[in-house]
């Protein structure tokens, strides 16, 4: 069997990560190349300077090409940022055939009807994902094709983003010499990398805590229920340390990663509590208290966890997530953050690390790379949405017309 090669590009606030992987049997990914570059031109998950973003993306793509020996033509690309929002919408149609057997065509019309809900003109549709079907009032049907009925309803999850933010992302990727296979909401990608079918069936929230944003996806009964992006992330921890400890930014980042803990414990030994670090001036040293450092971190961690909890509660599904919360993103590595979250929310919490990886997998064996790995997995599951075909027709710049994309979503998600 010819092995497919798929590329994912995670354009994050902190880093851009390009992953080239071959899809093998049993969901194994053979990692051929990884290109990692610190980000420039992004703020809270959104591109704010196209030239800087293009340089960063192009560097990351070149690195991955050099390592893999693979010429990257197209890629799956992650989207996030506060401009993204989601809603659940229901579409209803009468079953068309005279013998009342439900066909793909009925599903297509029902999904279209669900999508006809008011999507404001300044918003671009990123995903329309069917979650469940209702046939003549019978709920919870996952595959209605071939069933008999008069009335077919579909529940869909619709994700939209601001047109300009999405166009800037598309432009930056294309100017880096790469065409887009499809855009994927980042937490949905991360979910592909670290959640299994049982988690999603039982009810689980995926929370990706990056540098600039925290992305959330709630899965219930096997389907996506709620997605959102909130504008808090690891950068805030670092900024707090800069302010309170009066250190340069790089020192604060070092302190957070090396000595940080989301649970501050009073020192038993005064001497051990003291950390000597660089100050602002040349050769300036200063001593700071580890306990104070971690009090600052804990305060922010508690706030972030509260924001996450409120967001999950807003989805209407709190208390019904038996599989708990799976955290990814670089900030999921903050020492004892999972423990604090478990204590505060009283649900199971685990750090999600992408698995079933082979080849150059050591470099991405961490929660920071869940989105990148998940983009490749998403590509292997859902296939290509042919976004580029329409730019040839001079439709929208790069993204297909709503209808083109709509047809492709159908192909992606129909049973
Ligand atoms: N060991 C660690 N302990 C605490 N924080 C960490 C650790 N390692 C990385 N981080 C933090 O993780 C953040 C970066 O995470 P990540 O790489 O997931 O971000 P990103 O994907 O670029 O950003 P975003 O998804 O927000 O756009 C930074 O704030 C960094 O300080
Ligand atoms: Mg990220």
């Amino acid at each position: 069997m010819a092995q497919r090669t798929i590329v994912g590009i995670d354009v994050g606030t902190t880093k851009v990560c390009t992953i080239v992987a071959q899809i093998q049997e049993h969901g194994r990914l053979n990692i051929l190349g990884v290109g990692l570059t610190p980000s420039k031109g992004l703020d809270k998950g959104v591109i704010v300077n196209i030239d800087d973003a293009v340089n960063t993306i192009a560097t990351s793509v070149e690195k991955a090409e050099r390592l893999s020996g693979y010429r990257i033509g197209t890629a799956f690309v992650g989207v996030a940022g506060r401009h993204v929002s989601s809603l659940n919408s229901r579409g209803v149609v009468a079953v068309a055939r005279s013998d009342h057997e439900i066909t793909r065509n009925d599903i297509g019309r029902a999904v279209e009807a669900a999508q006809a809900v008011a999507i404001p003109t300044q918003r671009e549709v990123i995903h329309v994902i069917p979650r469940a079907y209702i046939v003549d009032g019978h709920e919870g049907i996952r595959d209605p094709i071939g069933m008999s009925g008069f009335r077919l309803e579909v529940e869909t999850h619709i994700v939209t983003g601001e047109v300009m933010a999405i166009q800037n992302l598309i432009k930056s990727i294309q100017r880096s010499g790469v065409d887009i296979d499809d855009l994927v909401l980042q937490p949905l990608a991360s979910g592909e990398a670290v959640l299994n079918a049982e988690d999603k069936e039982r009810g689980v929230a995926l929370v990706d805590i990056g540098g600039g944003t925290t992305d959330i996806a709630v899965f219930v009964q096997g389907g996506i229920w709620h997605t959102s992006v909130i504008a808090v992330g690891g950068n805030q921890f670092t900024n707090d340390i800069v302010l309170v400890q009066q250190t340069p930014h790089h020192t604060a980042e070092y302190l957070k990663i090396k000595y940080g803990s989301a649970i501050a414990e009073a020192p038993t030994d005064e001497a051990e509590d003291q950390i000597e670090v660089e100050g602002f001036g040349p050769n300036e040293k200063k001593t700071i208290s580890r306990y104070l450092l971690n009090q600052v971190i804990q305060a922010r961690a508690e706030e972030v966890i509260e924001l996450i909890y409120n967001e999950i509660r807003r989805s209407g599904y709190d208390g019904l997530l038996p599989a708990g919360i799976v955290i990814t993103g670089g900030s999921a590595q903050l020492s004892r953050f999972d423990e604090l979250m478990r204590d505060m929310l009283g649900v199971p919490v685990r750090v999600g690390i992408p698995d079933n990886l082979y080849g150059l997998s050591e470099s991405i064996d961490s929660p920071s790379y869940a989105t990148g790995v998940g983009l490749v997995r998403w590509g292997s599951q859902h296939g290509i949405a042919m976004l580029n075909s329409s730019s040839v027709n001079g439709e929208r710049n790069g993204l297909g017309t709503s209808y083109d994309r709509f047809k492709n979503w159908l192909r992606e998600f129909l049973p």
Side-chain angles (χ1 to χ4, degrees):
M1 188 183 101
Q3 284 175 334
R4 276 194 304 152
T5 301
I6 292 186
V7 180
I9 307 179
D10 172 16
V11 185
T13 311
T14 320
K15 49 125 209 320
V16 173
C17 174
T18 303
I19 298 181
V20 182
Q22 236 170 19
I23 314 300
Q24 301 183 322
E25 285 164 359
H26 310 300
R28 287 166 54 131
L29 290 186
N30 181 20
I31 307 298
L32 303 178
V34 177
L36 199 61
T37 322
S39 290
K40 267 199 177 152
L42 269 102
D43 182 41
K44 297 188 172 71
V46 172
I47 290 172
V48 290
N49 180 320
I50 301 243
D51 288 339
D52 284 348
V54 170
N55 281 335
T56 312
I57 296 165
T59 307
S60 156
V61 165
E62 273 162 33
K63 280 189 187 169
E65 285 185 331
R66 217 175 310 133
L67 213 60
S68 61
Y70 178 83
R71 162 83 185 86
I72 297 174
T74 67
F76 289 86
V77 175
V79 192
R82 208 172 13 186
H83 65 98
V84 172
S85 65
S86 74
L87 60 111
N88 290 331
S89 166
R90 210 172 252 218
V92 190
V93 291
V95 175
R97 266 168 60 153
S98 55
D99 63 0
H100 302 295
E101 185 176 315
I102 296 167
T103 63
R104 264 167 194 274
N105 175 286
D106 297 313
I107 295 183
R109 286 185 303 115
V111 172
E112 204 167 0
Q115 213 195 171
V117 293
I119 294 172
T121 46
Q122 281 313 301
R123 301 196 73 79
E124 184 92 64
V125 174
I126 303 169
H127 296 288
V128 178
I129 304 175
R131 298 189 301 121
Y133 300 89
I134 302 162
V135 177
D136 291 348
H138 297 290
E139 306 221 358
I141 294 167
R142 296 207 184 159
D143 179 5
I145 289 180
M147 289 179 69
S148 295
F150 291 97
R151 174 188 162 97
L152 174 70
E153 288 168 74
V154 62
E155 286 171 11
T156 60
H157 185 71
I158 300 179
V159 180
T160 65
E162 264 170 36
V163 172
M164 283 309 144
I166 291 178
Q167 291 302 326
N168 286 337
L169 176 64
I170 292 172
K171 217 185 270 175
S172 304
I173 298 280
Q174 289 180 336
R175 287 205 193 148
S176 316
V178 176
D179 280 330
I180 299 175
D181 287 323
D182 204 353
L183 294 176
V184 183
L185 186 66
Q186 287 181 17
L188 291 179
S190 306
E192 291 283 331
V194 301
L195 300 179
N196 55 42
E198 198 193 325
D199 292 329
K200 294 185 194 166
E201 198 58 47
R202 295 175 62 209
V204 71
L206 182 288
V207 179
D208 189 294
I209 312 162
T213 66
T214 291
D215 312 336
I216 300 175
V218 178
F219 298 83
V220 181
Q221 289 172 356
I224 180 72
W225 171 259
H226 178 76
T227 49
S228 61
V229 177
I230 48 184
V232 291
N235 292 344
Q236 256 116 336
F237 291 85
T238 309
N239 293 340
D240 290 347
I241 299 168
V242 170
L243 287 175
V244 176
Q245 306 280 16
Q246 297 283 311
T247 67
H249 190 271
H250 70 271
T251 306
E253 181 74 11
Y254 166 80
L255 284 169
K256 174 178 82 171
I257 291 175
K258 179 107 198 278
Y259 298 101
S261 167
I263 297 178
E265 261 172 282
T268 46
D269 178 339
E270 279 298 322
E272 249 180 47
D273 186 53
Q274 305 295 310
I275 312 169
E276 193 173 276
V277 292
E278 277 175 52
F280 276 105
N283 304 323
E284 185 198 319
K285 293 270 180 224
K286 63 186 291 178
T287 304
I288 64 161
S289 151
R290 185 175 186 157
Y291 182 45
L292 178 58
L293 170 75
N294 288 333
Q295 283 178 307
V296 172
I297 292 177
Q298 178 166 353
R300 180 62 80 175
E302 286 173 357
E303 194 211 348
V304 168
I305 291 170
E306 256 167 47
L307 288 170
I308 292 168
Y309 175 68
N310 289 341
E311 197 54 43
I312 293 176
R313 217 175 42 168
R314 223 167 55 85
S315 82
Y317 257 96
D318 68 317
L320 277 175
L321 298 172
I325 299 176
V326 178
I327 53 175
T328 58
S331 303
Q333 297 171 99
L334 176 63
S335 170
R336 301 183 77 182
F337 187 86
D338 49 343
E339 189 184 332
L340 180 67
M341 201 172 201
R342 204 176 300 131
D343 290 349
M344 285 176 64
L345 306 184
V347 295
V349 176
R350 71 165 204 263
V351 177
I353 295 172
D355 63 359
N356 217 357
L357 307 177
Y358 299 84
L360 297 175
S361 58
E362 320 78 46
S363 52
I364 51 173
D365 193 7
S366 130
S368 307
Y369 304 111
T371 307
V373 171
L375 285 167
V376 173
R377 289 213 179 279
W378 179 280
S380 74
Q381 299 279 322
H382 300 296
I384 291 165
M386 297 189 298
L387 294 189
N388 302 300
S389 56
S390 66
S391 53
V392 179
N393 307 333
E395 296 285 354
R396 283 221 193 117
N397 182 18
L399 264 191
T401 59
S402 282
Y403 186 64
D404 283 346
R405 298 203 76 211
F406 169 68
K407 279 188 301 194
N408 285 306
W409 286 315
L410 285 184
R411 216 190 48 218
E412 282 175 44
F413 286 102
L414 284 187

